[in-house]
Amino acid sequence: MRKLPYALLTALAVSVLAVPCRATALPADVTASQCIAGGGSVVISAVGDGSQAYTKRCMGGVHDGETVL
């Protein structure tokens, strides 16, 4: 069996260790005022047929893509 070079082994180890770092960097929920203060705008979208379910997201600015409470 052929051995992997150290550079490839190191790159694999770094990529495996980087996964938990990205998981902790997921966006948190923000308030509407934090979204607007960060330069974004609140976008409200109907879910499904729009009967009574809505999602609110911050689009743009510092909190882009985060859920608005």
Side-chain angles (χ1 to χ4, degrees):
M1 184 172 159
R2 206 172 142 201
K3 291 186 178 182
L4 293 174
Y6 287 109
L8 182 58
L9 188 57
T10 303
L12 288 173
V14 168
S15 66
V16 168
L17 293 174
V19 171
C21 295
R22 278 187 264 146
T24 59
L26 292 175
D29 296 338
V30 297
T31 63
S33 0
Q34 289 173 325
C35 175
I36 294 167
S41 57
V42 178
V43 175
I44 301 171
S45 304
V47 176
D49 63 1
S51 58
Q52 289 184 2
Y54 297 94
T55 61
K56 295 179 272 183
R57 290 276 203 197
C58 183
M59 300 304 284
V62 177
H63 304 287
D64 187 37
E66 295 183 22
T67 302
V68 177
L69 299 175

